[in-house]
Amino acid sequence: MLSFFKKKPITGYPRSFARRLTWRIMLRMILIMSVPAFVLFWLTYGIVALGVMGISDRILKGEKEEVRRIASDLYMASTNTAAFIEDDLSNPDRMYDIMNRMLKLNPYMRSCGIYFVESYYPQKGRLFAPYALRQRDSTIVESQNAIDHGNDYVKDKWFQDAIASEKGYWSKAFFDNDSARTPLVSYLLPIRDKKQRTVAVLGVDLALAWLNEKIQPTNTHYKNDSKEWDASYEFYYYMTDSAGTILIHPDTKRIVNENIQPYITQGPDKHRGHLTIGDNREDRMVIDGEEVQVCSQMVKYTDWTIAFVVPTFYIRLFGYQTALAAGGIGRPGGQG
């Protein structure tokens, strides 16, 4: 047979019109299916993220109200007791009984005392400051005088500021001068005589360590002598005053000793801004090296801000899982 009658070998697949048309249809179908799926995925993720914020808001609001109630109880106890003190200023020994009774009636109170101005009762000496103390085992130590422990309080700034104040207020956090250096915050209220002269300061103390144990989640790992607190994947609360001083925190060694700012290596995203639901503020931050969502609220009638910290790892994990489920991804045959 002549060579020109032989078939030439096929070296490539012919690009027919039908094949090109099939590819175009498939691409359009993929595009039509993927765009809604993409939108659904991120819409579901966003809804989940907002839902987490709403849940965090409700959780935080409950703890904030608990702190506010405790602070309010101490405020009311101080205000009510001040009237008895002012009526009995002529009887200095009566002050011990008032302090003892005040402490017994208020289980949230760690201690209370009346600090009189210098030489107000000459028969009692230069200083007179009856107070009562609740120990860690709830035992109440009655009828003590603060000056018996070398407390020359009239030289302290807290006393001078309280004497000059027109009304009561929450003090800055401090350590008690006992051997345990107990972290405290006090409500200070000026006491006036019948001539409206300020003659003493009533102080009631709230133990921050006790408040911290009451507020923190039960599974939070506290820092102690044998184990370092680890922020990884932890849900926890912290509370600060207006200066950023730490009032409650799972790492108890930070309470009063430290400010929250050095632990925030990345503050709120200025471009992203912050979200608010009611009186709740939500920010994304990096605290202790962990990317977290921080929901914070002000505690009414104080300068305290309490915050609930949620690791973004859990938000993303739950958000992705829910979004994938909503899109039918991961189900047999992709069917609902």
Side-chain angles (χ1 to χ4, degrees):
M1 184 180 292
L2 297 175
S3 59
F4 59 82
F5 286 114
K6 294 180 178 179
K7 291 184 178 181
K8 294 182 180 179
I10 297 175
T11 57
Y13 190 87
R15 296 179 58 85
S16 65
F17 173 76
R19 187 170 184 273
R20 292 196 302 271
L21 182 61
T22 300
W23 275 107
R24 290 178 182 177
I25 293 173
M26 289 177 64
L27 288 173
R28 289 183 180 181
M29 290 182 66
I30 292 172
L31 185 62
I32 291 171
M33 294 173 64
S34 61
V35 170
F38 178 83
V39 172
L40 178 62
F41 178 91
W42 287 108
L43 180 62
T44 305
Y45 177 82
I47 292 173
V48 170
L50 287 174
V52 171
M53 179 185 167
I55 293 171
S56 299
D57 169 55
R58 290 192 292 272
I59 293 173
L60 178 61
K61 186 170 291 184
E63 297 301 335
K64 180 198 72 173
E65 286 303 311
E66 178 70 5
V67 173
R68 186 204 61 78
R69 183 177 64 84
I70 291 171
S72 178
D73 285 352
L74 298 187
Y75 159 79
M76 290 301 300
S78 301
T79 303
N80 293 336
T81 302
F84 292 101
I85 295 172
E86 291 171 352
D87 287 343
D88 283 329
L89 283 176
S90 60
N91 185 359
D93 290 329
R94 172 70 175 147
M95 300 299 124
Y96 288 112
D97 296 333
I98 293 175
M99 290 298 94
N100 295 337
R101 183 173 182 274
M102 184 183 189
L103 190 61
K104 289 177 180 178
L105 292 177
N106 295 277
Y108 301 142
M109 194 179 297
R110 184 263 187 180
S111 49
C112 56
I114 316 171
Y115 301 83
F116 286 91
V117 296
E118 194 168 2
S119 301
Y120 183 74
Y121 295 113
Q123 69 273 31
K124 294 294 183 180
R126 174 173 164 264
L127 299 178
F128 182 58
Y131 80 101
L133 168 68
R134 190 191 313 276
Q135 297 179 334
R136 290 189 65 86
D137 61 358
S138 297
T139 302
I140 295 178
V141 180
E142 302 179 350
S143 302
Q144 296 194 37
N145 192 333
I147 63 171
D148 293 340
H149 302 278
N151 186 0
D152 194 359
Y153 56 85
V154 292
K155 299 179 181 179
D156 294 336
K157 189 175 186 304
W158 71 263
F159 180 78
Q160 296 171 359
D161 290 344
I163 283 290
S165 177
E166 294 295 325
K167 58 183 181 179
Y169 62 92
W170 285 98
S171 72
K172 296 299 180 183
F174 64 98
F175 288 105
D176 196 7
N177 56 4
D178 58 6
S179 58
R181 284 179 53 80
T182 306
L184 303 171
V185 64
S186 298
Y187 186 77
L188 303 175
L189 181 66
I191 300 297
R192 296 180 173 86
D193 62 12
K194 293 181 180 180
K195 296 181 179 180
Q196 293 301 303
R197 296 175 300 185
T198 302
V199 298
V201 173
L202 172 62
V204 299
D205 302 324
L206 174 62
L208 294 175
W210 172 84
L211 183 64
N212 191 49
E213 292 175 2
K214 187 175 182 63
I215 296 301
Q216 293 295 346
T218 54
N219 63 338
T220 301
H221 301 298
Y222 289 89
K223 187 173 184 179
N224 51 48
D225 294 336
S226 60
K227 186 176 181 180
E228 293 289 323
W229 178 76
D230 187 0
S232 302
Y233 309 117
E234 285 280 6
F235 295 85
Y236 63 93
Y237 296 94
Y238 71 80
M239 188 169 75
T240 62
D241 62 14
S242 58
T245 302
I246 296 173
L247 304 180
I248 67 172
H249 194 279
D251 185 348
T252 56
K253 292 183 180 179
R254 299 183 189 182
I255 296 176
V256 182
N257 278 312
E258 300 185 39
N259 193 287
I260 193 65
Q261 290 302 322
Y263 294 98
I264 302 176
T265 54
Q266 180 179 324
D269 189 336
K270 294 181 180 179
H271 300 290
R272 179 174 174 269
H274 63 268
L275 299 175
T276 56
I277 296 179
D279 61 347
N280 183 69
R281 171 170 173 152
E282 178 266 341
D283 292 292
R284 182 168 296 174
M285 302 181 180
V286 175
I287 304 179
D288 284 295
E290 293 292 315
E291 186 177 347
V292 295
Q293 209 80 2
V294 179
C295 299
S296 57
Q297 298 178 9
M298 289 288 297
V299 179
K300 199 173 182 180
Y301 305 124
T302 71
D303 70 342
W304 308 337
T305 299
I306 187 170
F308 183 47
V309 179
V310 180
T312 55
F313 168 82
Y314 294 110
I315 299 176
R316 289 170 178 164
L317 179 63
F318 185 60
Y320 290 155
Q321 288 179 339
T322 306
L324 291 173
I329 301 175
R331 301 176 185 175
Q335 300 297 317

